[in-house]
Amino acid sequence: MLLSLKYIDFVFDTKVQTLSAASIARYTSGHVINLITKDLEPVEPICLILPYIITVPIQTVVVALVLWWLVSWRAVLCVIYTILTIIYQIAISQYLQKLRFKIMPLNDVRVRLLADMISGIRVLKASAWEWFFKEQIEETRRYYYQVN
């Protein structure tokens, strides 16, 4: 948690404060909320994963040597299977990341529509445009679920 707060502070200090007023005006509060909830979400588990990234390769080599000493050649098959499993998981995570990048623009459109609808709710109700916005949001959701 502390690392993610420091990362948010770093992003704010280095990026946001150097932007011009015109580029800040282009981004709505929906963009900022989407950035914090979706893009910074993977930063928090780094605190938990970092020690394993350092120790697991060392442990794998030590365990493989001990298994080789105790069991002989069959231990190599187990290590090869483990490495193949890791490679498979990396491939699946890369595929899911590509899918997430396809979904992000759709999510931005949906959040922008909802933010526009909420910010102008009085005008929307007075002009009876609820159904128009509802249809646009439902169409965006349908397309969003088709990509999934």
Side-chain angles (χ1 to χ4, degrees):
M1 182 70 176
L2 184 61
L3 183 64
S4 64
L5 290 175
K6 286 186 179 185
Y7 185 73
I8 292 171
D9 189 43
F10 170 75
V11 168
F12 181 76
D13 287 342
T14 58
K15 299 294 181 190
V16 175
Q17 291 182 350
T18 60
L19 293 174
S20 66
S23 47
I24 289 176
R26 286 189 320 195
Y27 297 105
T28 63
S29 60
H31 282 93
V32 176
I33 291 170
N34 194 20
L35 173 73
I36 290 173
T37 57
K38 297 293 181 192
D39 297 342
L40 295 180
E41 189 175 291
V43 173
E44 190 174 350
I46 295 291
C47 299
L48 301 172
I49 295 173
L50 190 60
Y52 296 114
I53 291 174
I54 297 169
T55 60
V56 166
I58 298 169
Q59 289 177 352
T60 304
V61 170
V62 170
V63 168
L65 292 173
V66 169
L67 284 174
W68 179 268
W69 180 61
L70 293 174
V71 186
S72 74
W73 65 271
R74 292 177 198 96
V76 175
L77 294 176
C78 293
V79 173
I80 290 172
Y81 174 75
T82 303
I83 291 171
L84 289 176
T85 304
I86 291 170
I87 292 170
Y88 175 73
Q89 288 177 348
I90 290 171
I92 293 295
S93 66
Q94 288 175 349
Y95 171 74
L96 291 176
Q97 184 178 12
K98 287 178 185 175
L99 187 63
R100 249 183 268 128
F101 281 128
K102 285 183 181 177
I103 291 173
M104 266 195 237
L106 299 174
N107 200 17
D108 288 342
V109 168
R110 188 174 52 86
V111 167
R112 188 172 15 110
L113 280 172
L114 285 172
D116 290 346
M117 186 174 165
I118 290 171
S119 66
I121 194 74
R122 288 186 182 148
V123 174
L124 205 123
K125 288 283 189 183
S127 303
W129 289 344
E130 302 103 6
W131 296 107
F132 174 72
F133 272 95
K134 180 183 174 198
E135 289 172 4
Q136 279 188 331
I137 292 170
E138 287 176 353
E139 180 181 334
T140 306
R141 282 184 181 157
R142 275 194 298 276
Y143 190 68
Y144 178 83
Y145 290 127
Q146 286 176 355
V147 171
N148 282 337

